[in-house]
Amino acid sequence: MRVHLDSEKCQGHNRCYALAPELFDVDDFGQAVLLVEGELPEELHGKARLAAANCPEYAIKIVEETRP
Amino acid sequence: MSVDETTTSPEPFEYVEPIFGDSPEGTHVWQRVPYNADDYGPVGDFATDFDHADPAYNPNAPAVWKQLRESGCPVAHSDRYGGMWVPITHDTVNEIAYDTENFTSRAVVVSVGRPGDLSLPAPIGGAPPITSDPPFHNMARRLLLPAFAPKKIEPWEPEIRLLCQRLLDDMGEITPGESIIDAAVQYAQHIPVNVIGRMLGFPEQDEELFRKFVHDVLERIAEEPGSRDGMDDLGKYILTQIAEHRENPRDDLTSYLLNVEIEGTPVDDEIAAGMIVLLLVAGIDTTWSAIGSSLWHLAQHPEDHQRLLDDPDVMTFALEEFLRSYAPVTMARMVAKDNDFHGCPMKKDDWVLLPFPAANRDPHQFEDADTFIVDRQENRHAAFGLGIHRCLGSNLARLELKVAIEEFTKRFPRYELAGDTRWSVGQIRGPRDLPVRILEVAD
């Protein structure tokens, strides 16, 4: 699983930072910053889905692993 | 036509005395909309005669939205206030919130006064950045954002907690099963006004003044502009505070605002005053309403109250569910240019209400939308708006709401409604009188 953040869509609701601080930080303006790159470890999948499911601006996308 | 008729019928868009301040450019000249509430009376059909200031609206708003949605009316209309449109579904609210070309923010509170063409304050507006359109909006917003970023707001938690505890202490001796307190008047209403006053560095004893100003701006919308002198007083009061802060700068939000620059130029008193108006008006009624509505819910749902006590971590989700179910804020826009919105012929200068609370109850966006689910996992609510005007103070509002609920529910593990709840009138929805009987007091 990978997680993508569209910074253009982010309006700084800070829902992701509250729910998944392991994956998201916020900058001085309150805009989300993605802390991870590449494949997410299994134990963070739930948090990533939760962050995406609570972003009012649909700025977070989850890309599930495509099996070969 | 008799002389009488010609002298008494109002000219459409007749200019009246400015509501708030004045400037050589006429920046703050407002027009009187040809609307007299007395000509209309109570609303019969919200689809064609919508009025959010009808006293029956706020107490019954979720039922009104449901009925409009189920009758296939995604956008209601009204001739009141000189013409007003009201999108009800999440999709239509979202679309207008994002469309800054066809909809301007230069007026965000529907009333009988609206900014005129000659006074076009856009893109700045009287209370930037909420009344600003792009491109000025982003400049003004970036000045304020750092002061309200999560990491700047978190340190206020202990002080807010102490404030809530003090308000609970001030209620005096409570006899379980007998004592009735007003959770809105004695508790909720004091919290945000106190916090924003402290952040701005205004004298604490002026709390009552702020509340009057806010009431004038948000609730007395059908009255003659001249009679709403709270606006004038507010302007004068804030300019006095600004002068005092220029003389004695200190570490507070007002001094911060006076030091920020827009493209190398310090903001002038007028823009700073506009931003302070926004912080006062936007931060007080709104959060007070959210706290009140949440406590109103818990009074009727002891099972949710118990869950919060048993499992404090559930607050992460409960907080957002309170905000979704009882979002206090409906914003407004004005139509910037004639456009056809899904078959609605919108004309320039028509009002558009943006009921984010209605969007939050749309079953196409939320499962069991009219049910409060204390640990709802998927919750993209729009309580703080959508798009570029996302509530600047959302982190502060959340913190105040969370701490206020936590302290109240801990102190009073059981309480129930005790009499009639009186709801606000207008765009901010929440209880103004909330009598509750305390059934249990924590040791």
Side-chain angles (χ1 to χ4, degrees):
Chain A
M1 176 194 283
R2 288 165 185 265
V3 57
H4 291 279
L5 168 69
D6 184 339
S7 302
E8 293 288 303
K9 283 189 176 172
C10 173
Q11 297 291 351
H13 289 262
N14 294 310
R15 299 287 302 281
C16 54
Y17 172 60
L19 289 167
E22 301 87 343
L23 300 174
F24 298 91
D25 196 4
V26 279
D27 66 15
D28 291 345
F29 293 91
Q31 294 289 111
V33 178
L34 188 59
L35 293 173
V36 292
E37 257 184 278
E39 285 296 317
L40 279 190
E42 190 91 23
E43 65 270 21
L44 288 176
H45 287 194
K47 290 257 180 176
R49 285 196 190 96
L50 198 57
N54 285 279
C55 177
E57 311 285 352
Y58 291 85
I60 300 166
K61 285 266 177 298
I62 301 293
V63 181
E64 302 281 349
E65 208 169 353
T66 45
R67 296 186 187 283
Chain B
M1 184 183 277
S2 76
V3 175
D4 262 336
E5 276 177 304
T6 52
T7 50
T8 54
S9 40
E11 285 289 315
F13 310 128
E14 181 187 357
Y15 285 94
V16 294
E17 284 299 301
I19 296 173
F20 170 44
D22 202 353
S23 74
E25 300 80 32
T27 309
H28 293 297
V29 176
W30 286 58
Q31 300 169 335
R32 176 67 171 85
V33 169
Y35 167 68
N36 183 350
D38 297 336
D39 295 344
Y40 283 76
V43 170
D45 180 0
F46 275 92
T48 55
D49 184 31
F50 196 100
D51 186 5
H52 56 297
D54 187 301
Y57 175 69
N58 275 344
N60 305 300
V64 171
W65 306 325
K66 188 173 186 318
Q67 191 222 337
L68 287 171
R69 274 192 307 261
E70 289 177 357
S71 65
C73 176
V75 184
H77 182 261
S78 177
D79 289 331
R80 296 171 190 251
Y81 309 100
M84 177 171 79
W85 302 92
V86 192
I88 292 295
T89 62
H90 188 279
D91 279 355
T92 52
V93 168
N94 183 66
E95 189 175 337
I96 291 172
Y98 269 84
D99 185 349
T100 56
E101 287 288 311
N102 287 307
F103 302 95
T104 171
S105 285
R106 69 197 160 100
V108 290
V109 179
V110 170
S111 80
V112 296
R114 64 185 176 200
D117 269 351
L118 290 178
S119 65
L120 252 188
I124 295 175
I130 201 170
T131 57
S132 313
D133 291 329
F136 184 83
H137 167 267
N138 194 40
M139 278 188 273
R141 186 173 170 88
R142 285 183 74 84
L143 300 180
L144 286 171
L145 278 172
F148 290 92
K151 289 168 190 173
K152 278 280 162 53
I153 294 303
E154 283 158 14
W156 281 88
E157 176 162 346
E159 199 163 334
I160 298 172
R161 209 169 279 285
L162 280 175
L163 166 67
C164 292
Q165 289 166 354
R166 202 195 69 207
L167 290 168
L168 293 165
D169 292 343
D170 286 349
M171 289 174 188
E173 193 67 31
I174 303 277
T175 310
E178 283 178 28
S179 297
I180 292 176
I181 58 132
D182 193 313
V185 175
Q186 289 175 263
Y187 188 66
Q189 74 165 351
H190 295 285
I191 297 164
V193 73
N194 214 296
V195 173
I196 197 68
R198 283 180 207 203
M199 290 180 80
L200 285 164
F202 288 3
E204 204 172 324
Q205 65 271 19
D206 293 345
E207 187 184 306
E208 190 53 44
L209 268 180
F210 305 154
R211 272 207 304 273
K212 179 184 175 299
F213 295 146
V214 172
H215 175 76
D216 284 357
V217 176
L218 294 174
E219 298 218 5
R220 296 170 60 191
I221 61 172
E223 295 177 32
E224 291 306 313
S227 71
R228 299 166 74 203
D229 43 346
M231 284 300 271
D232 247 352
D233 294 347
L234 178 58
K236 283 180 205 145
Y237 174 83
I238 289 171
L239 289 173
T240 309
Q241 294 299 330
I242 287 177
E244 201 271 320
H245 275 79
R246 285 219 190 269
E247 221 158 277
N248 308 299
R250 43 197 187 266
D251 181 21
D252 61 26
L253 199 49
T254 304
S255 291
Y256 168 86
L257 284 175
L258 296 176
N259 276 317
V260 296
E261 297 181 344
I262 299 179
E263 294 182 335
T265 312
V267 298
D268 60 20
D269 284 6
E270 202 181 354
I271 290 183
M275 290 187 181
I276 291 171
V277 169
L278 164 63
L279 299 181
L280 278 178
V281 172
I284 295 178
D285 257 32
T286 51
T287 310
W288 157 19
S289 297
I291 296 169
S293 297
S294 303
L295 297 178
W296 178 80
H297 173 89
L298 291 172
Q300 300 163 89
H301 293 274
E303 72 284 6
D304 291 334
H305 187 157
Q306 195 58 47
R307 179 78 189 276
L308 289 174
L309 297 177
D310 294 345
D311 180 8
D313 288 346
V314 85
M315 184 54 100
T316 307
F317 299 101
L319 187 60
E320 305 302 331
E321 184 67 345
F322 284 122
L323 287 164
R324 185 190 71 83
S325 297
Y326 302 107
V329 182
T330 289
M331 284 307 302
R333 299 285 189 268
M334 286 176 73
V335 177
K337 43 190 165 189
D338 292 3
N339 71 90
D340 179 286
F341 185 81
H342 301 282
C344 299
M346 295 190 174
K347 297 277 176 243
K348 181 176 175 299
D349 289 347
D350 283 351
W351 291 107
V352 181
L353 272 186
L354 279 186
F356 294 111
N360 280 351
R361 300 272 193 139
D362 187 340
H364 289 292
Q365 180 71 8
F366 301 94
E367 217 173 303
D368 287 329
D370 273 327
T371 308
F372 181 97
I373 300 171
V374 71
D375 57 355
R376 188 183 285 272
Q377 298 289 300
E378 180 169 351
N379 192 350
R380 293 185 179 89
H381 71 76
F384 294 116
L386 293 165
I388 64 169
H389 289 281
R390 186 270 303 167
C391 170
L392 195 74
S394 62
N395 301 300
L396 178 60
R398 252 194 200 102
L399 179 61
E400 290 179 26
L401 179 59
K402 175 177 95 101
V403 173
I405 297 172
E406 282 173 352
E407 291 303 318
F408 194 93
T409 52
K410 262 191 278 176
R411 181 71 60 99
F412 303 130
R414 282 190 308 131
Y415 66 97
E416 62 184 13
L417 294 184
D420 291 336
T421 302
R422 184 175 62 88
W423 293 80
S424 58
V425 171
Q427 281 176 232
I428 311 301
R429 177 175 188 261
R432 290 294 170 268
D433 294 324
L434 180 55
V436 298
R437 184 178 297 104
I438 305 301
L439 301 175
E440 188 182 339
V441 183
D443 300 329

